[in-house]
Each structure stands twice: as C-alpha cells, then as structure tokens.
Amino acid sequence: MTKTKTITYLAGSALAALVCAAAGSASAADIDCPLSQAKRTIVNPLPGGWWTTPQVNSLSDTRIVTIGGQRALQCVYGDSGSIQRPAPVGMLCSTKPGGFRCTPPIIILPPSPPPSPPVTFSTDIVVVPQTYEVNFDNGNVGSGPGADLWFQAVTSTERYLTPVNGAKIAVGDRSNRGRDGCRVASYSTARVPLSAVPVGSYICMKTNQGRTSQFRMNAITGLAVKNLEMGYTTWAN
C-alpha cells in the first residue's frame, strides 16, 4: 500500500534560480514514477540445478532525497530497491501518490518603502507682468537663463504661458496635485493659452533645474496689459 507524505524544498539554493523560475514561463508539472512494480533478481550465471525466484514489489513510497549534494526524486519499491532522477532546478517539489508535484516558487517581495515626505525648496507669491518671465527655483521675476515660464503676449488678446530654458508644464485637470501628483504628471514644452488656465487653477511645472513645482493662478489683473499673480511651491525632492 502506498504511503503518502509531503516534503517541500527548493531545488538549488541560489537566489538567481529563484528569480529565474518566478520571472520565466515555468508552470506546474506532475512527475510520475515510471514503474508501478519493480522486479529484483540475481543475474549472475548459475551452475546446473540452481535457480532464483525474482522478487516483485509494487511502488511503496515516494521521497525527496539528497544524493551527492543534489536533490533527487526517488521512487521506492520495497525490498526491490529504488530508482531516482534529478529534481527540476528552481522548482518547489512535493511528493504525491505515485509521483511528485513540482511548481515554480512564489516570491513575496518586501513592501516598497514609503515615499519621503516633501521638502520645500522655494515657495512664494509672485506677480508676473505681461512679457516677463518667472523662475520657480527662486521666485525671481524678469528674464534670463534661469527662468522657467514666460508670460508671452502675441497680441492684445492672444496670450500664453510658455515654458523656457528647458522647463516643462503640465496643465492636467488643474486640481491641487501636490508634489507626488506633479511628479507623475505628463509634461510638455508646448505653450499653453492663458484662457486654459483660469483663476483657481493649479498647474504643475518641471523647472529647468529638474525640480518639481506647482503654482496656483491666484489672480489675473490689468486691462490692456495683464499681470499674473501666482502662489508657487517648488520641492527639493
């Protein structure tokens, strides 16, 4: 009668094998013992008048053993002996009636560390007159290679917010996304019509120094010549 027991192991202790088995296309596999019965007998030539009676035994056990430092799947046939084969590398195997069940290992990765809290690099309220530029890394208003956004006036009615000097803008849904939301926003160097950024809008920026920033359009003042009042925060991380 076949005894049933379960022994679970990982064939090979290298982490590389573990990662390979999980990342590859390996799937569960049943490996059955190739014989239901095994015969044991004496094969030496015998003198006249002598004979032997072969001993036949059914499969009595399945085991996972170590032979020569390597894991092996072993089928045992009572007094008739045993047969074995190498265990599949990188698989978790357990015994079952008549053979073995081998599956890829399940890797439980440690949880990702929480994001670091935002650290403010620069924050202020700025007023940007029409045709001027603003630097969100330090709050300077004017022009120069450090500026990030140009309040561009094409005509008296056609005005844009135009990223400059390698800075980028992400209008999105104009909600208050904060540092983490602005980090994953979709940025562009294309200019944005002022009409697309009404008062109350929150707009993400990537400064020309690579920092994440967000400004709020607090007010648009003036008649023929407009002024933009913005409150901004730029993060150091």
Side-chain angles (χ1 to χ4, degrees), residues 115-121 178-180 183 233-237:
S116 57
V119 176
T120 299
F121 182 80
R179 182 204 63 172
D180 293 343
R183 272 182 169 179
T233 297
T234 299
W235 293 279
N237 59 338

PDB file of all heavy atoms in Angstrom, residues 115-121 178-180 183 233-237:
ATOM      1  N   PRO A 115       7.137  56.781   0.309  1.00  0.00           N
ATOM      2  CA  PRO A 115       7.838  57.929  -0.276  1.00  0.00           C
ATOM      3  C   PRO A 115       8.291  58.903   0.802  1.00  0.00           C
ATOM      4  O   PRO A 115       7.645  59.040   1.852  1.00  0.00           O
ATOM      5  CB  PRO A 115       6.777  58.552  -1.194  1.00  0.00           C
ATOM      6  CG  PRO A 115       5.465  58.078  -0.642  1.00  0.00           C
ATOM      7  CD  PRO A 115       5.721  56.720  -0.080  1.00  0.00           C
ATOM      8  N   SER A 116       9.404  59.546   0.545  1.00  0.00           N
ATOM      9  CA  SER A 116       9.909  60.513   1.513  1.00  0.00           C
ATOM     10  C   SER A 116       8.969  61.711   1.563  1.00  0.00           C
ATOM     11  O   SER A 116       8.366  62.085   0.556  1.00  0.00           O
ATOM     12  CB  SER A 116      11.314  60.964   1.107  1.00  0.00           C
ATOM     13  OG  SER A 116      11.304  61.503  -0.211  1.00  0.00           O
ATOM     14  N   PRO A 117       8.808  62.313   2.727  1.00  0.00           N
ATOM     15  CA  PRO A 117       7.908  63.467   2.822  1.00  0.00           C
ATOM     16  C   PRO A 117       8.441  64.632   1.995  1.00  0.00           C
ATOM     17  O   PRO A 117       9.653  64.790   1.826  1.00  0.00           O
ATOM     18  CB  PRO A 117       7.918  63.797   4.322  1.00  0.00           C
ATOM     19  CG  PRO A 117       9.193  63.223   4.841  1.00  0.00           C
ATOM     20  CD  PRO A 117       9.451  62.001   4.011  1.00  0.00           C
ATOM     21  N   PRO A 118       7.547  65.455   1.444  1.00  0.00           N
ATOM     22  CA  PRO A 118       8.008  66.582   0.630  1.00  0.00           C
ATOM     23  C   PRO A 118       8.853  67.563   1.437  1.00  0.00           C
ATOM     24  O   PRO A 118       8.564  67.856   2.601  1.00  0.00           O
ATOM     25  CB  PRO A 118       6.697  67.234   0.170  1.00  0.00           C
ATOM     26  CG  PRO A 118       5.648  66.178   0.334  1.00  0.00           C
ATOM     27  CD  PRO A 118       6.079  65.350   1.494  1.00  0.00           C
ATOM     28  N   VAL A 119       9.903  68.037   0.808  1.00  0.00           N
ATOM     29  CA  VAL A 119      10.758  69.068   1.393  1.00  0.00           C
ATOM     30  C   VAL A 119      10.706  70.276   0.467  1.00  0.00           C
ATOM     31  O   VAL A 119      11.030  70.176  -0.722  1.00  0.00           O
ATOM     32  CB  VAL A 119      12.206  68.578   1.568  1.00  0.00           C
ATOM     33  CG1 VAL A 119      13.086  69.702   2.087  1.00  0.00           C
ATOM     34  CG2 VAL A 119      12.262  67.378   2.496  1.00  0.00           C
ATOM     35  N   THR A 120      10.279  71.408   0.990  1.00  0.00           N
ATOM     36  CA  THR A 120      10.138  72.609   0.179  1.00  0.00           C
ATOM     37  C   THR A 120      11.502  73.218  -0.123  1.00  0.00           C
ATOM     38  O   THR A 120      12.330  73.414   0.767  1.00  0.00           O
ATOM     39  CB  THR A 120       9.249  73.637   0.892  1.00  0.00           C
ATOM     40  OG1 THR A 120       7.948  73.070   1.081  1.00  0.00           O
ATOM     41  CG2 THR A 120       9.127  74.917   0.091  1.00  0.00           C
ATOM     42  N   PHE A 121      11.720  73.521  -1.407  1.00  0.00           N
ATOM     43  CA  PHE A 121      12.950  74.188  -1.828  1.00  0.00           C
ATOM     44  C   PHE A 121      12.744  75.700  -1.908  1.00  0.00           C
ATOM     45  O   PHE A 121      13.594  76.479  -1.495  1.00  0.00           O
ATOM     46  CB  PHE A 121      13.399  73.641  -3.184  1.00  0.00           C
ATOM     47  CG  PHE A 121      14.678  74.235  -3.690  1.00  0.00           C
ATOM     48  CD1 PHE A 121      15.905  73.791  -3.221  1.00  0.00           C
ATOM     49  CD2 PHE A 121      14.661  75.255  -4.639  1.00  0.00           C
ATOM     50  CE1 PHE A 121      17.087  74.345  -3.684  1.00  0.00           C
ATOM     51  CE2 PHE A 121      15.849  75.812  -5.122  1.00  0.00           C
ATOM     52  CZ  PHE A 121      17.060  75.357  -4.636  1.00  0.00           C
ATOM     53  N   GLY A 178      -0.244  68.485  -5.714  1.00  0.00           N
ATOM     54  CA  GLY A 178       0.864  68.395  -4.774  1.00  0.00           C
ATOM     55  C   GLY A 178       2.108  67.789  -5.412  1.00  0.00           C
ATOM     56  O   GLY A 178       2.156  67.520  -6.614  1.00  0.00           O
ATOM     57  N   ARG A 179       3.132  67.554  -4.575  1.00  0.00           N
ATOM     58  CA  ARG A 179       4.390  67.048  -5.115  1.00  0.00           C
ATOM     59  C   ARG A 179       4.240  65.690  -5.782  1.00  0.00           C
ATOM     60  O   ARG A 179       4.710  65.485  -6.912  1.00  0.00           O
ATOM     61  CB  ARG A 179       5.437  66.938  -4.005  1.00  0.00           C
ATOM     62  CG  ARG A 179       6.795  66.464  -4.499  1.00  0.00           C
ATOM     63  CD  ARG A 179       7.616  65.822  -3.424  1.00  0.00           C
ATOM     64  NE  ARG A 179       6.996  64.597  -2.903  1.00  0.00           N
ATOM     65  CZ  ARG A 179       7.592  63.769  -2.055  1.00  0.00           C
ATOM     66  NH1 ARG A 179       8.812  64.033  -1.631  1.00  0.00           N
ATOM     67  NH2 ARG A 179       6.956  62.693  -1.616  1.00  0.00           N
ATOM     68  N   ASP A 180       3.580  64.746  -5.108  1.00  0.00           N
ATOM     69  CA  ASP A 180       3.501  63.387  -5.644  1.00  0.00           C
ATOM     70  C   ASP A 180       2.692  63.335  -6.932  1.00  0.00           C
ATOM     71  O   ASP A 180       3.034  62.606  -7.867  1.00  0.00           O
ATOM     72  CB  ASP A 180       2.912  62.439  -4.599  1.00  0.00           C
ATOM     73  CG  ASP A 180       3.843  62.248  -3.411  1.00  0.00           C
ATOM     74  OD1 ASP A 180       5.050  62.565  -3.538  1.00  0.00           O
ATOM     75  OD2 ASP A 180       3.363  61.795  -2.351  1.00  0.00           O
ATOM     76  N   ARG A 183       4.776  64.860  -9.714  1.00  0.00           N
ATOM     77  CA  ARG A 183       5.896  64.003 -10.116  1.00  0.00           C
ATOM     78  C   ARG A 183       5.531  63.098 -11.292  1.00  0.00           C
ATOM     79  O   ARG A 183       6.366  62.782 -12.129  1.00  0.00           O
ATOM     80  CB  ARG A 183       6.331  63.135  -8.934  1.00  0.00           C
ATOM     81  CG  ARG A 183       7.363  63.756  -8.017  1.00  0.00           C
ATOM     82  CD  ARG A 183       7.741  62.773  -6.938  1.00  0.00           C
ATOM     83  NE  ARG A 183       8.891  63.190  -6.168  1.00  0.00           N
ATOM     84  CZ  ARG A 183       9.405  62.503  -5.151  1.00  0.00           C
ATOM     85  NH1 ARG A 183       8.838  61.356  -4.784  1.00  0.00           N
ATOM     86  NH2 ARG A 183      10.464  62.942  -4.505  1.00  0.00           N
ATOM     87  N   THR A 233       4.991  76.634  -5.126  1.00  0.00           N
ATOM     88  CA  THR A 233       5.872  75.851  -4.246  1.00  0.00           C
ATOM     89  C   THR A 233       6.712  74.937  -5.115  1.00  0.00           C
ATOM     90  O   THR A 233       6.186  74.244  -5.999  1.00  0.00           O
ATOM     91  CB  THR A 233       5.073  74.997  -3.241  1.00  0.00           C
ATOM     92  OG1 THR A 233       4.325  75.855  -2.382  1.00  0.00           O
ATOM     93  CG2 THR A 233       6.015  74.123  -2.394  1.00  0.00           C
ATOM     94  N   THR A 234       8.006  74.946  -4.882  1.00  0.00           N
ATOM     95  CA  THR A 234       8.941  74.055  -5.575  1.00  0.00           C
ATOM     96  C   THR A 234       9.593  73.167  -4.528  1.00  0.00           C
ATOM     97  O   THR A 234      10.038  73.647  -3.485  1.00  0.00           O
ATOM     98  CB  THR A 234      10.010  74.870  -6.332  1.00  0.00           C
ATOM     99  OG1 THR A 234       9.350  75.691  -7.312  1.00  0.00           O
ATOM    100  CG2 THR A 234      11.003  73.947  -7.038  1.00  0.00           C
ATOM    101  N   TRP A 235       9.639  71.873  -4.812  1.00  0.00           N
ATOM    102  CA  TRP A 235      10.139  70.900  -3.833  1.00  0.00           C
ATOM    103  C   TRP A 235      11.582  70.505  -4.124  1.00  0.00           C
ATOM    104  O   TRP A 235      12.009  70.427  -5.276  1.00  0.00           O
ATOM    105  CB  TRP A 235       9.242  69.669  -3.818  1.00  0.00           C
ATOM    106  CG  TRP A 235       7.877  69.979  -3.291  1.00  0.00           C
ATOM    107  CD1 TRP A 235       7.499  70.080  -1.986  1.00  0.00           C
ATOM    108  CD2 TRP A 235       6.703  70.245  -4.062  1.00  0.00           C
ATOM    109  NE1 TRP A 235       6.167  70.384  -1.892  1.00  0.00           N
ATOM    110  CE2 TRP A 235       5.639  70.496  -3.150  1.00  0.00           C
ATOM    111  CE3 TRP A 235       6.429  70.299  -5.426  1.00  0.00           C
ATOM    112  CZ2 TRP A 235       4.348  70.786  -3.561  1.00  0.00           C
ATOM    113  CZ3 TRP A 235       5.136  70.604  -5.855  1.00  0.00           C
ATOM    114  CH2 TRP A 235       4.113  70.837  -4.915  1.00  0.00           C
ATOM    115  N   ALA A 236      12.296  70.218  -3.057  1.00  0.00           N
ATOM    116  CA  ALA A 236      13.709  69.833  -3.195  1.00  0.00           C
ATOM    117  C   ALA A 236      13.861  68.367  -3.539  1.00  0.00           C
ATOM    118  O   ALA A 236      14.938  67.956  -3.989  1.00  0.00           O
ATOM    119  CB  ALA A 236      14.455  70.143  -1.886  1.00  0.00           C
ATOM    120  N   ASN A 237      12.822  67.549  -3.294  1.00  0.00           N
ATOM    121  CA  ASN A 237      12.934  66.105  -3.528  1.00  0.00           C
ATOM    122  C   ASN A 237      11.738  65.581  -4.294  1.00  0.00           C
ATOM    123  O   ASN A 237      10.795  66.322  -4.556  1.00  0.00           O
ATOM    124  CB  ASN A 237      13.063  65.357  -2.194  1.00  0.00           C
ATOM    125  CG  ASN A 237      11.881  65.604  -1.272  1.00  0.00           C
ATOM    126  OD1 ASN A 237      11.160  66.587  -1.390  1.00  0.00           O
ATOM    127  ND2 ASN A 237      11.676  64.712  -0.327  1.00  0.00           N
TER     128      ASN A 237
END
